[in-house]
Amino acid sequence: MNLSQDHLAVRTTCAYCGVGCGVKATPRADGGFDIAGDADHPANAGRLCVKGSALGETIGLEGRLLYPQLREQGALRRASWDEALDRVADKWQSIIAEHGPDAVAFYVSGQLLTEDYYVANKLMKGYIGSANIDTNSRLCMSSAVAAHKRAFGEDVVPVCYDDLELADMIVLVGSNAAWCHPILFQRIARIREQRPGVKLVVIDPRRTATCELADLHLPVKPGTDVWLFNGLLNYLAKRGAANAAFVATHTLGLDDALAVADLEPEAVAKACKLNLDDLLGFYESFAATEKVITGFSMGVNQSSAGTDKANSIINCHLLTGRIGKPGMGPFSLTGQPNAMGGREVGGLANMLAAHLDIDKAAHREAVQTFWASPRIADKPGLKAVDLFQAIEAGRVKAVWIIATNPIVSLPDADQARRALQKCELVVASDIVQDTDTNAFAHVLLPALGWGEKDGTVTNSERRISRQRAFLPAPGEARADWRILAQFAQRMGYAGFDYESPQQIFAEHARLTAFRNTPQELPRVLDIGGLAKLGAAAYDALEPVQWPLKAEDESQQGSARLFGDGHFSHPDGRARFIAAAPRLPVNERDEDYPFALNTGRVRDQWHTMTRTGRAPKLSEHIPESFVDMHPQDALLSGVREGELARVTTQWGAMVARVQHGGGIARGSVFIPIHWNGQTASDARVGALVNPAVCPVSGEPEFKHTPVRVERFPVKWHGFILSRADVNLGGVAHWTRAQGRGFARYELAGRNSIEDFGLWAKSLLGVNGDDADWLEYADRSEGMYRAVHIVDDRIEQCIFVSSRPDLPARSWLAGLFGKEMLDDADRAGLLAGRAIAQGEDAGPAVCSCFGVGRNTICGAIREQDLKSVAQVTACVKAGGNCGSCVPELKKLLAETLAEAAAES
Amino acid sequence: MKPALVVVGNGMAGMRTVEELLKFDPRHYDITVFGAEPHGNYNRILLSPVLAGEKTVDDIMLNTREWYEHHGITLHAGDPVERIDRKRRVVRARSGREVRYDRLLLATGSRPFIIPVPGHKLPGVIAFRDIKDVETMLEAARNHRHAVIIGGGLLGLEAANGLQRQGMDVTVVHVTDALMNQQLDKPAAQLLQKALEGKGLRFMLEAQTSEIVGEDRVRAVRFKDGSEIPADLVVMTAGVRPNIALAQQSGLHCERAIVVDDTLQTYDPRVYAVGECVQHRSATFGLVAPIWEQARVCAAHLAGAGHRRYVQQACATRLKVTGVELYSAGDFIGGEDSEDLVLRDARRGVYKRLVLRGNRIAGAVLYGDVQDGPWYFDLIQKRTDISSMRSHLLFGQALCAQAA
């Protein structure tokens, strides 16, 4: 009998990065869902990265926020929707009445669907009359937006993913695509297999996983990208590589740009701390290769010179006319699933809607007319960092935070915390009950999560895809657009009587086409062709790239833009931007001698509220770390594997020291994901300086001066426990989700008198008759205990005065057993199988759970020479391929070791 | 004519020495053996299984009368020696029999310590030392109900187990707060107690016996605090004393026991001694391993080979108390200058403790899982530096080998 559930599969879009991969969710008989790549989606053609593959592990209801709640006398209580929304509406009305519309604000998210974003923006700018709506996209790609607007006259990404496959050279700047945009990176990797001549150049201060596949890695000094690209502009101009006809006909401002770019390669190499030959190699290749894509991401955007960095890149493409044609162009790789969609509907404080500008009266008039709204914001609102400063200063008295976690993710995050502590009314719409931010909310509103919500997102290549629901709404959770519309109606506003996301989408589509003629308010963004979709057509909408004008008969959308040399500035010409290079705002000094760089790790996403639930994703990197050069560690008095306190002028945190081998002296790297829910003290946001790019308002996440010191502890330990453990009294802890258990890494500064008593009280084990195994070597400060309930392992705790604890993997595996056998039991306190069986080592391939030792062993014993052979042998790398760079590295290392030994 | 060797004591130590001697030179001596018990030589250690009904007396015989005949040894069983005339080099037995010797081997063993409380001579108050005691106990088990064991050492627990197996209601009375304090540390003792309680034995610890009550037979045991428990049989297992009366009477130098040198010779060059009755460099002996070594050394000197020297070595005790495996060796109590490695798995009945001193194992107590006992014992004896395997040590040899 054929039990295929295929016909029940729902096609949707991944919840994570801006690649926007299509996902197929197929119900299983057990109530779960099989998650697979959608073979028909053009972004990924069926492939998914490890995060996307694990989406099915993240849709359970544990920890979900399911009912509206109100905080009274410090404690939350359940409330009805009516009561909660009335409370918010009353408060907003009184604040607006007393202090004006700029005293309230929305802080929203690139996780929202376009329809949600549209309603929030319309409500704020057209009805409340303020532009105080900003988004976490401000922290992500607002510099790219600003650069696009300056260069092209509109926030338009001119290229598409297929161009990556048509290019002869791909330059990735400030992008660890191997980890952050894995499917795009896999496309690059595959095309290089087919066409080995395609060059890959990676420009990044760190030697990331992305560099493992690169022909050339330029480890620029942090913050010096503008020198590099100004130098390139100068080199191209002097080498005669300019496309004079294109420049003359379609651009303005080259002379000014060249005037500030007068840098010889020698000077660039010095400023950027690069090897001159490598630099010239890059310049020559760039000059000689017509089909070049320059992909850029957070390493460019998250800078106090972020907009200039992006423009210095775009300048080089304008000079060579390499834009709008197949296989070439500047390419902003966005971080969030719907950063682009948010931009389309104006979800940033300095935009209006549908690519219309807030500072132009004709634009304001057009939008207000279209909305028939009572008012229209006439000046930009507060950008993210300014917004939270205004909240702390008391100028903004009510903030509604939707689908984001600013106390973790904003720079100077302790300031954000102070702001929310002082704020009169904090409303949080979220899908999770406990977050660092929700702890300060006066009103908690349950929203729909991925798999439940319904609407559209736009990816990095302007492709609009449907996110479709395949799960019922849990508890009393509601879609964000519905919450906002119901709130708007309580505020007494007409124009929010939506009944479906399709109605909102249609309105948005009409607005993009509104007065969008060459004679009126021409914009590239025009999806008038989608305005007439009925409910059924909207449901069935296939991924399509904008623009898609109503009069476009093919209705195919546009793969690439500006091919005709016509840009969005009124004169149709693109602009060179004179970007004078400047250093980061806060420079290193004696007290803070290292530059902190922040970023993602491969298997986690943002503040881990979703990826943190997937055991598969916790295995790769289970806790926060500070990656630094061994020499810097030595100077700072810290050692690999031990804890360090990392301090800046703004805040401090604790992380484990790591020598990843990819970081130059003078810099350290800390991941962004860990927060108050997953660790005692690991919010890197608290360290980040609040300097922003003056043009885009994007913060300088990639450069904060820091100091690293020992974090002395008396003992180290870990707990694996089926139930969550309250570790309030422990100096340092991190939580990672395992399969059937929570894993805690611990360290303490207290002396423990009676280990047994202490451990039992920590783990909540009562009574002498508990099945409790223990091992103690008191004078070494070593203690181990395991708690068994009904022949299953319930909890275990391992403590040592030195960080020499056994690997967690064998013990972790026991949580999957319904009954421990004698051999298991004998090994419990040793933390490993006592009979045979090898330690697989830390997980490298999360998909197949293949450990480092297994891989290195296979390489040595089977004499493997290529990643393909490794995959054939131990499966690692055979699914998502995210670990292929690491496999390459392991292969190289192992072969080098073998060569050295022989 | 061959020189005469007289052996006083037909127990394990004496006969082992004779066996070792025969290996050297089966025709060196005319050998005469006197024994107090009316049997051949048997394995005293196995009396417990006999009491428990797991073995018969025949099963535990080491040397039958045929064996003595076969080797031309004259055996006088049931006829204890009462006098030694060292001038004339003659021993005289209770029967009046006198035998002249050229060499004399004393292997008189030890006698049980009977606590001299009032009533200790009442019928029904016995020790647990020989086949006769076992027979008495079996007899009591058939006709009586309440047994009280005074002394919670190894022997006491074996007696308790045996009597319980024979259907008696058994209480073990022990003067300190932990059973088997010679072989176990307190946690192990508590585990053992719990395990034995689980099998139905009762324990009274820190209990001081003040009197054994009864008229023509024991009826009860009374304690210092005035309380009483019923007793139809009292077994005293409160330790043993070296049996040196004969040696002392004959003027051999004795302290706690008969003092011997490294050749097991006493102060009289014609007289040797082995076993529980000897004192070698202030130590006395109760376990079988050092006594076997004494027998080997002593036999070499009796045979005139003279090339062996007795050297004391750390001892390991591997015991099986009523189905519970125990192993202890060396200094398992430790002190200020020692460190402990401890492992407990109460549910599985496992407790292990190693006492370390200066990166070497000084002692070990293993309870429930004794598999690695010999390995630890070896490490103790070789004084192996264990610092490199310290963190794996207590998990056993297999893991240490794996981790190395």
Side-chain angles (χ1 to χ4, degrees):
Chain A
M1 197 168 74
N2 179 13
L3 289 171
S4 166
Q5 305 278 300
D6 232 31
H7 61 289
L8 299 174
V10 172
R11 293 171 67 210
T12 181
T13 314
C14 180
Y16 301 121
C17 77
V19 177
C21 297
V23 171
K24 241 170 69 179
T26 312
R28 284 196 307 257
D30 67 359
F33 282 82
D34 285 325
I35 299 295
D38 178 357
D40 296 329
H41 197 289
N44 57 320
R47 292 177 77 94
L48 282 183
C49 76
V50 60
K51 291 188 286 281
S53 305
L55 274 165
E57 289 186 14
T58 70
I59 54 180
L61 295 184
E62 315 80 47
R64 275 294 292 270
L65 172 59
L66 294 172
Y67 307 99
Q69 290 162 45
L70 299 175
R71 191 177 302 278
E72 275 162 14
Q73 278 99 40
L76 288 167
R77 71 160 173 87
R78 186 170 164 178
S80 70
W81 271 107
D82 283 341
E83 188 185 10
L85 290 177
D86 282 344
R87 172 81 62 96
V88 182
D90 289 351
K91 189 83 186 163
W92 274 44
Q93 274 164 340
S94 70
I95 288 172
I96 293 168
E98 191 175 343
H99 304 284
D102 288 334
V104 298
F106 281 123
Y107 184 62
V108 302
S109 163
Q111 320 284 305
L112 289 182
L113 304 182
T114 301
E115 292 77 4
D116 303 322
Y117 246 132
Y118 179 87
V119 174
N121 187 55
K122 177 179 178 183
L123 170 59
M124 200 57 172
K125 289 175 184 156
Y127 290 79
I128 290 169
S130 167
N132 279 348
I133 171 169
D134 213 39
T135 154
N136 63 7
S137 293
R138 177 72 59 197
L139 318 178
C140 173
M141 43 84 248
S142 57
S143 293
V145 173
H148 290 153
K149 289 192 75 173
R150 290 205 299 190
F152 309 141
E154 187 174 348
D155 173 24
V156 172
V157 174
V159 287
C160 62
Y161 294 155
D162 288 347
D163 286 325
L164 292 168
E165 281 146 12
L166 300 170
D168 293 322
M169 176 168 169
I170 297 164
V171 185
L172 291 176
V173 193
S175 162
N176 185 8
W179 282 14
C180 302
H181 300 99
I183 296 306
L184 275 195
F185 192 68
Q186 291 307 310
R187 288 176 72 159
I188 295 172
R190 270 205 310 287
I191 202 69
R192 276 160 49 84
E193 277 165 22
Q194 290 159 22
R195 294 196 290 128
V198 175
K199 275 201 162 49
L200 176 64
V201 178
V202 177
I203 297 168
D204 197 309
R206 289 195 300 149
R207 188 175 176 88
T208 61
T210 303
C211 302
E212 298 299 327
L213 290 194
D215 300 292
L216 178 63
H217 169 220
L218 295 176
V220 281
K221 180 184 164 188
T224 61
D225 314 57
V226 176
W227 276 271
L228 183 77
F229 282 94
N230 278 0
L232 175 61
L233 189 74
N234 188 43
Y235 180 90
L236 295 170
K238 291 199 171 146
R239 266 281 302 264
N243 181 336
F246 180 86
V247 171
T249 319
H250 300 300
T251 70
L252 281 179
L254 176 60
D255 292 346
D256 291 345
L258 280 174
V260 298
D262 188 16
L263 281 165
E264 290 307 312
E266 291 77 10
V268 173
K270 194 157 178 251
C272 301
K273 283 199 169 168
L274 290 172
N275 175 297
L276 179 61
D277 290 340
D278 287 347
L279 180 72
L280 286 171
F282 165 55
Y283 282 3
E284 278 159 23
S285 298
F286 195 101
T289 312
E290 176 69 5
K291 290 186 171 178
V292 178
I293 297 271
T294 309
F296 60 96
S297 193
M298 302 317 144
V300 167
N301 296 333
Q302 293 179 331
S303 162
S304 58
T307 312
D308 281 357
K309 284 184 181 181
N311 278 120
S312 71
I313 292 168
I314 295 169
N315 283 348
C316 296
H317 280 271
L318 291 175
L319 181 72
T320 49
R322 293 175 190 159
I323 192 163
K325 284 172 275 186
M328 61 185 75
F331 198 167
S332 156
L333 303 175
T334 57
Q336 298 200 74
N338 199 31
M340 185 79 96
R343 287 141 71 173
E344 289 154 16
V345 298
L348 286 157
N350 52 334
M351 301 173 148
L352 204 43
H355 283 192
L356 291 161
D357 295 330
I358 205 164
D359 47 8
K360 293 186 180 119
H363 290 207
R364 291 198 299 271
E365 191 271 332
V367 174
Q368 188 175 4
T369 303
F370 179 83
W371 280 340
S373 64
R375 50 191 79 82
I376 191 85
D378 58 0
K379 61 178 192 309
L382 294 163
K383 298 181 185 130
V385 172
D386 297 337
L387 170 61
F388 279 79
Q389 282 167 356
I391 295 171
E392 191 183 8
R395 294 195 301 279
V396 170
K397 300 184 182 301
V399 63
W400 187 335
I401 298 163
I402 305 178
T404 185
N405 199 353
I407 287 190
V408 182
S409 54
L410 276 176
D412 194 5
D414 288 346
Q415 186 279 329
R417 188 161 62 187
R418 288 195 304 274
L420 291 194
Q421 264 164 347
K422 285 189 66 173
C423 190
E424 275 182 40
L425 178 67
V426 178
V427 183
S429 302
D430 210 319
I431 66 166
V432 176
Q433 174 76 38
D434 295 317
T435 72
D436 292 15
T437 299
N438 288 357
F440 295 93
H442 303 105
V443 181
L444 273 181
L445 301 174
L448 295 182
W450 182 84
E452 298 152 5
K453 54 189 185 179
D454 194 31
T456 58
V457 291
T458 309
N459 72 3
S460 293
E461 62 164 356
R462 290 172 276 106
R463 189 177 299 278
I464 298 167
S465 299
R466 290 278 279 109
Q467 262 199 18
R468 295 183 175 93
F470 58 91
L471 293 166
E476 293 182 0
R478 292 181 181 172
D480 285 297
W481 65 263
R482 194 183 292 278
I483 299 171
L484 290 163
Q486 288 171 338
F487 169 74
Q489 286 166 341
R490 274 180 169 70
M491 294 284 286
Y493 303 138
F496 291 92
D497 50 354
Y498 304 113
E499 277 161 17
S500 72
Q502 177 263 329
Q503 292 176 351
I504 303 167
F505 183 80
E507 182 179 315
H508 158 57
R510 283 201 311 279
L511 179 55
T512 64
F514 186 65
R515 297 186 188 165
N516 196 345
T517 63
Q519 296 73 37
E520 294 169 288
L521 305 169
R523 292 100 71 198
V524 173
L525 172 62
D526 184 342
I527 53 168
L530 299 175
K532 296 236 155 42
L533 295 179
Y538 175 79
D539 270 348
L541 181 65
E542 288 294 319
V544 62
Q545 283 174 288
W546 64 256
L548 184 64
K549 290 175 175 293
E551 57 272 28
D552 176 355
E553 280 176 14
S554 77
Q555 293 293 299
Q556 288 303 303
S558 312
R560 52 188 72 82
L561 296 169
F562 307 140
D564 57 358
H566 186 88
F567 294 88
S568 298
H569 283 294
D571 55 12
R573 286 169 177 261
R575 301 289 191 273
F576 285 94
I577 302 298
R582 62 179 187 274
L583 287 170
V585 170
N586 290 292
E587 264 303 300
R588 290 170 276 186
D589 58 25
E590 268 183 18
D591 291 338
Y592 300 99
F594 309 119
L596 167 67
N597 185 355
T598 64
R600 292 177 170 156
V601 299
R602 193 188 77 192
D603 291 0
Q604 293 297 344
W605 171 260
H606 284 192
T607 65
M608 303 166 79
T609 47
R610 185 174 290 283
T611 48
R613 302 155 74 93
K616 177 160 131 182
L617 300 179
S618 295
E619 289 167 12
H620 183 239
I621 296 175
E623 61 178 335
S624 189
F625 59 86
V626 51
D627 190 8
M628 62 194 302
H629 193 280
Q631 193 74 20
D632 288 341
L634 196 67
L635 291 174
S636 304
V638 297
R639 289 172 59 172
E640 184 168 36
E642 295 187 353
L643 294 171
R645 177 179 291 282
V646 187
T647 312
T648 70
Q649 284 184 57
W650 295 271
M653 65 174 280
V654 176
R656 204 170 293 283
V657 176
Q658 183 188 94
H659 300 325
I663 204 148
R665 288 201 58 188
S667 290
V668 302
F669 174 84
I670 299 178
I672 60 172
H673 311 289
W674 280 268
N675 55 72
Q677 311 304 308
T678 46
S680 52
D681 191 9
R683 274 161 62 245
V684 73
L687 277 65
V688 174
N689 70 90
V692 298
C693 172
V695 183
S696 67
E698 179 151 353
E700 188 139 72
F701 281 101
K702 301 292 189 184
H703 195 286
T704 307
V706 298
R707 174 168 75 221
V708 180
E709 297 159 299
R710 264 190 85 216
F711 182 75
V713 292
K714 283 217 171 76
W715 53 266
H716 303 259
F718 68 84
I719 291 173
L720 309 180
S721 173
R722 288 192 193 273
D724 277 353
V725 180
N726 182 356
L727 295 170
V730 174
H732 175 82
W733 59 265
T734 304
R735 183 190 189 282
Q737 184 63 47
R739 213 167 284 281
F741 62 94
R743 166 181 171 180
Y744 299 90
E745 295 294 324
L746 319 172
R749 307 181 108 161
N750 54 320
S751 300
I752 299 164
E753 273 310 305
D754 184 330
F755 276 111
L757 271 180
W758 172 81
K760 281 188 173 173
S761 106
L762 197 64
L763 297 180
V765 176
N766 301 316
D768 286 339
D769 53 347
D771 190 356
W772 178 264
L773 291 71
E774 61 184 354
Y775 167 80
D777 181 347
R778 254 210 78 89
S779 42
E780 288 281 289
M782 195 181 284
Y783 181 79
R784 301 169 175 186
V786 181
H787 183 204
I788 310 273
V789 174
D790 296 338
D791 291 320
R792 288 199 317 170
I793 184 167
E794 182 71 20
Q795 298 163 310
C796 64
I797 180 165
F798 280 58
V799 171
S800 173
S801 57
R802 288 179 307 205
D804 59 346
L805 298 155
R808 294 35 162 182
S809 42
W810 182 77
L811 287 164
L814 298 183
F815 282 82
K817 286 196 161 185
E818 275 311 308
M819 188 171 179
L820 298 180
D821 57 35
D822 286 350
D824 296 332
R825 187 150 178 143
L828 284 175
L829 292 170
R832 55 191 286 180
I834 284 195
Q836 266 75 50
E838 293 199 337
D839 180 8
V844 174
C845 171
S846 300
C847 295
F848 292 117
V850 189
R852 190 191 158 97
N853 298 352
T854 309
I855 292 166
C856 293
I859 293 171
R860 274 192 301 270
E861 282 152 35
Q862 317 273 330
D863 198 31
L864 306 178
K865 298 285 187 236
S866 71
V867 170
Q869 287 175 335
V870 173
T871 302
C873 189
V874 296
K875 289 175 92 178
N879 182 38
C880 76
S882 301
C883 60
V884 167
E886 284 165 280
L887 294 180
K888 268 190 119 81
K889 203 171 159 189
L890 288 179
L891 197 58
E893 286 173 1
T894 312
L895 293 177
E897 278 169 22
E901 281 164 16
S902 59
Chain B
M1 201 173 121
K2 286 191 276 184
L5 170 65
V6 172
V7 182
V8 181
N10 186 26
M12 294 170 74
M15 284 312 99
R16 182 67 168 229
T17 311
V18 170
E19 283 176 23
E20 294 280 353
L21 177 61
L22 296 176
K23 278 194 221 163
F24 270 103
D25 185 354
R27 275 178 278 279
H28 194 99
Y29 288 108
D30 271 330
I31 302 173
T32 305
V33 177
F34 286 89
E37 290 183 73
H39 313 282
N41 171 36
Y42 61 93
N43 186 341
R44 204 176 295 285
I45 300 167
L46 296 179
L47 284 175
S48 304
V50 174
L51 176 62
E54 291 161 358
K55 284 189 163 62
T56 65
V57 170
D58 285 347
D59 293 335
I60 68 167
M61 294 314 285
L62 292 171
N63 301 110
T64 58
R65 287 179 181 274
E66 291 73 38
W67 179 85
Y68 293 87
E69 274 167 33
H70 178 75
H71 288 94
I73 297 169
T74 310
L75 171 65
H76 302 295
D79 190 7
V81 170
E82 292 192 327
R83 273 192 71 86
I84 301 168
D85 183 339
R86 291 199 287 132
K87 269 192 197 134
R88 291 169 54 221
R89 302 212 302 271
V90 168
V91 300
R92 196 178 77 222
R94 181 177 293 168
S95 62
R97 180 180 287 120
E98 288 197 347
V99 179
R100 201 185 147 274
Y101 66 82
D102 295 295
R103 290 286 184 280
L104 179 66
L105 175 62
L106 297 178
T108 48
S110 59
R111 59 173 80 249
F113 175 59
I114 304 291
I115 306 166
V117 289
H120 72 274
K121 288 190 171 149
L122 278 170
V125 180
I126 58 163
F128 181 19
R129 176 70 192 175
D130 53 29
I131 288 175
K132 186 167 144 279
D133 293 331
V134 173
E135 285 165 352
T136 309
M137 286 192 262
L138 291 174
E139 164 76 22
R142 280 194 290 276
N143 303 317
H144 298 283
R145 180 155 175 227
H146 299 289
V148 173
I149 314 293
I150 300 179
L154 172 64
L155 201 61
L157 297 181
E158 290 187 334
N161 176 57
L163 289 170
Q164 197 210 14
R165 295 276 292 271
Q166 297 297 342
M168 291 194 87
D169 188 15
V170 182
T171 303
V172 177
V173 174
H174 192 57
V175 70
T176 72
D177 64 347
L179 300 175
M180 282 183 72
N181 41 324
Q182 297 288 311
Q183 288 89 13
L184 297 180
D185 62 358
K186 205 164 159 185
Q190 284 167 345
L191 278 176
L192 178 64
Q193 183 180 339
K194 214 166 169 187
L196 296 178
E197 280 169 350
K199 294 181 178 189
L201 292 178
R202 271 197 307 275
F203 292 92
M204 295 179 62
L205 300 187
E206 294 178 278
Q208 309 244 351
T209 307
S210 64
E211 191 183 344
I212 294 169
V213 186
E215 288 72 46
D216 46 0
R217 185 184 174 85
V218 56
R219 177 173 59 73
V221 173
R222 184 176 297 154
F223 301 98
K224 285 244 165 89
D225 63 4
S227 62
E228 247 182 51
I229 55 170
D232 307 316
L233 174 72
V234 172
V235 183
M236 294 269 201
T237 51
V240 294
R241 298 286 181 270
N243 185 6
I244 57 174
L246 185 63
Q248 278 175 319
Q249 188 189 71
S250 62
L252 285 171
H253 178 64
C254 295
E255 290 171 5
R256 283 190 295 138
I258 306 166
V259 175
V260 295
D261 65 9
D262 290 356
T263 67
L264 284 309
Q265 199 177 47
T266 67
Y267 276 40
D268 179 340
R270 292 187 180 269
V271 182
Y272 288 77
V274 291
E276 291 182 312
C277 63
V278 309
Q279 178 181 337
H280 175 259
R281 302 193 179 192
S282 79
T284 57
F285 305 88
L287 295 170
V288 78
I291 293 173
W292 284 171
E293 177 64 11
Q294 290 173 2
R296 227 166 64 85
V297 174
C298 184
H301 288 277
L302 286 173
H307 63 292
R308 283 190 180 135
R309 197 164 76 84
Y310 178 66
V311 180
Q312 283 180 33
Q313 285 186 317
C315 297
T317 324
R318 185 174 186 151
L319 310 163
K320 195 163 187 170
V321 180
T322 70
V324 179
E325 301 257 21
L326 296 171
Y327 189 99
S328 74
D331 169 15
F332 54 82
I333 299 298
E336 290 281 304
D337 61 337
S338 65
E339 303 173 319
D340 284 351
L341 306 183
V342 185
L343 184 153
R344 286 187 193 87
D345 180 351
R347 186 65 56 93
R348 205 164 56 110
V350 172
Y351 167 82
K352 303 185 196 187
R353 175 155 160 266
L354 295 179
V355 176
L356 307 183
R357 194 171 278 122
N359 289 327
R360 289 175 170 79
I361 307 179
V365 187
L366 306 180
Y367 179 102
D369 173 5
V370 299
Q371 195 190 332
D372 289 297
W375 182 56
Y376 296 134
F377 186 57
D378 189 47
L379 294 172
I380 293 174
Q381 291 195 304
K382 289 188 174 143
R383 298 186 45 73
T384 308
D385 186 324
I386 51 79
S387 34
S388 66
M389 53 183 169
R390 177 170 178 147
S391 58
H392 301 306
L393 196 60
L394 203 45
F395 302 111
Q397 186 173 19
L399 184 67
C400 289
Q402 215 173 308

